[in-house]
Amino acid sequence: MKFTAFLKTRGATAAIFMGIFYAVAMLGIFLPGYTAIPGNVDKLPIAIINDDAGKNGAMIAENLQENLPFKEIETDITNKQALKDLEHNDLALVVHIPKTFSENIQKGEASSSIDFTINEAGATVVSSTMNSVVTEINNQLSTRFSQQTAQGVLMNFNVPEKQAAELAEKIEKSYVGNVVTINEIPDGMNHNMLPMFLTMAGYVGAMIGAMQLVGAFRASRGKASKTRLFTYVQMAALLIAVVSSIIAVGVAYLIDKPSGDLFFGIVGQQILNYMVCFNFTAILIFLFGEGGMILNLPILLMQTIANGATITRDMMHAPYEWMSHISPMYYSVQAYFANLFGSISPSPYIWSMAAVGAVAMLINMAIVAFLHKPMPVQVSETEVEKKAAEITA
């Protein structure tokens, strides 16, 4: 057999096709998706709340609105509501200028600070970007108000050395930027990426499981009714979901060591995640057989950007944002962020993920019912002998 003949075999042609297809799909999906960083940072919504009774607060608020690179800046909102929106990741940053800010600046008091609040329990790009923005703002404000305080307090150069030192310290501390981080994530990229890795472990396992179990469904046609076989497929998937989820969460606990009281909640979500992803990926396999696996790959790649672990919906390009609304990975990642690190309930995301799974299962049921032709059930020799024995008895 010549090499050229070998290349024409089904396995070789499939390998060539998949090598080219996967390279094009991965680069064609990842590279455009990540052009949103930092290109779409300006789409992140922030809030600036000025409660200052003096002029300084209004001046700062106006300058921030003019100079910060964000298109959506909310000002007509209370600090309490803004912090609530931040908890739900509806805002990326909350800037609060307190009521006594101008008064404290004029007195040169160290308590003259602006609160910058950031939520770490969300997309990694958001928290890192907001930290950089806040650092730059604080550096500029510190310089500005130190100079302003100097003009107000050093009216006489002929001051005693001790008093001059006290005044210098007073100037240096005239403004202090108060950076508040809520829902802090422990140090280490492994913690930031845990929601995504748990989700992907379930998704990839479910996608491969869907290919194998739907293959078993097709191979077993004629041995039982298609309704019974479909039920067997779901039961087998649930069994795999339970076993694989316990093992996956166990590995996560060995490495990341989350809170022990979250264990059963995380296991439950991982089981749901597997079942939803199983039915989601099984749609194309029920429709196209093994060819559906090829179509599932770009959908998986697209969801690695659309799941919200790295960038938020506000930053995503339109195709990725659309995908996030039907993506089981998006809801799973957000639920894990809320459950592991956040202070809000993961229930809305859990219910949304369950809804995606329910719709996917209904679609699979419809495909099996209307597109898969019924086949006569073959009776095995054992069953024939058993029925014959019952009749003679």
Side-chain angles (χ1 to χ4, degrees):
M1 184 180 189
K2 294 183 179 180
F3 180 63
T4 52
F6 176 79
L7 288 178
K8 293 178 182 179
T9 61
R10 182 179 179 182
T13 54
I16 294 170
F17 172 78
M18 286 304 297
I20 297 172
F21 176 80
Y22 192 75
V24 171
M26 187 169 185
L27 294 175
I29 291 172
F30 277 9
L31 294 182
Y34 281 114
T35 59
I37 307 170
N40 289 351
V41 166
D42 60 343
K43 293 183 179 181
L44 293 173
I46 70 168
I48 300 175
I49 300 97
N50 176 31
D51 290 332
D52 184 22
K55 297 180 179 179
N56 284 310
M59 177 190 66
I60 292 174
E62 183 178 351
N63 287 340
L64 289 177
Q65 290 181 63
E66 292 177 354
N67 297 318
L68 285 179
F70 302 109
K71 295 179 180 178
E72 187 177 342
I73 301 178
E74 292 191 43
T75 56
D76 189 19
I77 188 174
T78 65
N79 188 50
K80 183 178 180 180
Q81 181 60 46
L83 292 176
K84 185 177 179 180
D85 291 344
L86 183 68
E87 289 273 5
H88 290 81
N89 286 314
D90 294 329
L91 290 173
L93 172 68
V94 174
V95 181
H96 178 229
I97 305 172
K99 184 176 182 180
T100 58
F101 179 75
S102 290
E103 181 183 346
N104 292 337
I105 282 291
Q106 291 171 0
K107 294 178 180 178
E109 294 183 3
S111 59
S112 53
S113 64
I114 296 175
D115 295 329
F116 299 88
T117 310
I118 302 167
N119 184 8
E120 282 197 354
T124 54
V125 167
V126 174
S127 58
S128 61
T129 300
M130 291 304 113
N131 273 303
S132 299
V133 169
V134 169
T135 299
E136 181 62 27
I137 293 173
N138 278 328
N139 288 338
Q140 294 181 13
L141 291 178
S142 181
T143 301
R144 176 184 300 177
F145 285 110
S146 291
Q147 294 172 349
Q148 179 177 320
T149 305
Q151 294 173 0
V153 297
L154 294 181
M155 301 299 294
N156 185 358
F157 291 96
N158 299 318
V159 293
E161 182 178 350
K162 183 177 180 181
Q163 186 177 355
E166 292 176 353
L167 291 173
E169 184 178 359
K170 192 175 186 181
I171 294 169
E172 184 179 352
K173 296 181 179 180
S174 62
Y175 168 79
V176 179
N178 184 30
V179 181
V180 181
T181 302
I182 62 173
N183 303 325
E184 290 190 31
I185 298 177
D187 293 334
M189 199 65 179
N190 55 307
H191 295 289
N192 291 80
M193 300 307 293
L194 180 58
M196 180 175 174
F197 288 160
L198 274 172
T199 298
M200 286 198 68
Y203 191 101
V204 175
M207 184 173 67
I208 296 172
M211 182 182 68
Q212 299 295 336
L213 290 177
V214 174
F217 169 89
R218 291 175 177 272
S220 301
R221 294 293 305 277
K223 297 179 182 179
S225 68
K226 59 182 182 179
T227 301
R228 175 173 289 189
L229 288 175
F230 182 82
T231 304
Y232 288 167
V233 166
Q234 296 295 327
M235 290 173 62
L238 180 59
L239 177 63
I240 298 168
V242 172
V243 175
S244 64
S245 296
I246 292 173
I247 294 173
V249 175
V251 172
Y253 266 80
L254 286 174
I255 298 172
D256 279 31
K257 300 177 176 61
S259 174
D261 58 357
L262 297 175
F263 181 82
F264 291 106
I266 297 174
V267 169
Q269 180 182 329
Q270 190 70 1
I271 292 171
L272 176 63
N273 175 45
Y274 186 98
M275 291 302 298
V276 172
C277 295
F278 175 84
N279 280 284
F280 185 81
T281 56
I283 293 173
L284 292 174
I285 302 175
F286 271 121
L287 280 173
F288 305 111
E290 293 183 359
M293 194 67 174
I294 299 174
L295 299 175
N296 270 325
L297 285 174
I299 295 174
L300 166 63
L301 295 175
M302 198 167 186
Q303 287 182 83
T304 58
I305 295 175
N307 63 35
T310 306
I311 59 178
T312 64
R313 274 180 177 166
D314 301 295
M315 295 178 65
M316 294 176 192
H317 296 306
Y320 303 89
E321 182 188 354
W322 297 336
M323 173 59 74
S324 73
H325 290 283
I326 63 169
S327 164
M329 284 184 68
Y330 176 84
Y331 298 113
S332 178
V333 166
Q334 302 310 311
Y336 274 132
F337 268 124
N339 202 6
L340 288 166
F341 309 117
S343 51
I344 60 173
S345 172
S347 296
Y349 302 113
I350 295 291
W351 283 112
S352 296
M353 181 166 55
V356 171
V359 171
M361 181 180 284
L362 289 174
I363 293 173
N364 286 327
M365 292 170 67
I367 294 171
V368 170
F370 299 110
L371 299 184
H372 287 248
K373 295 180 180 180
M375 294 179 62
V377 178
Q378 300 173 358
V379 181
S380 65
E381 293 182 3
T382 304
E383 290 178 342
V384 170
E385 293 174 356
K386 185 177 179 182
K387 288 183 178 179
E390 290 176 354
I391 294 173
T392 55

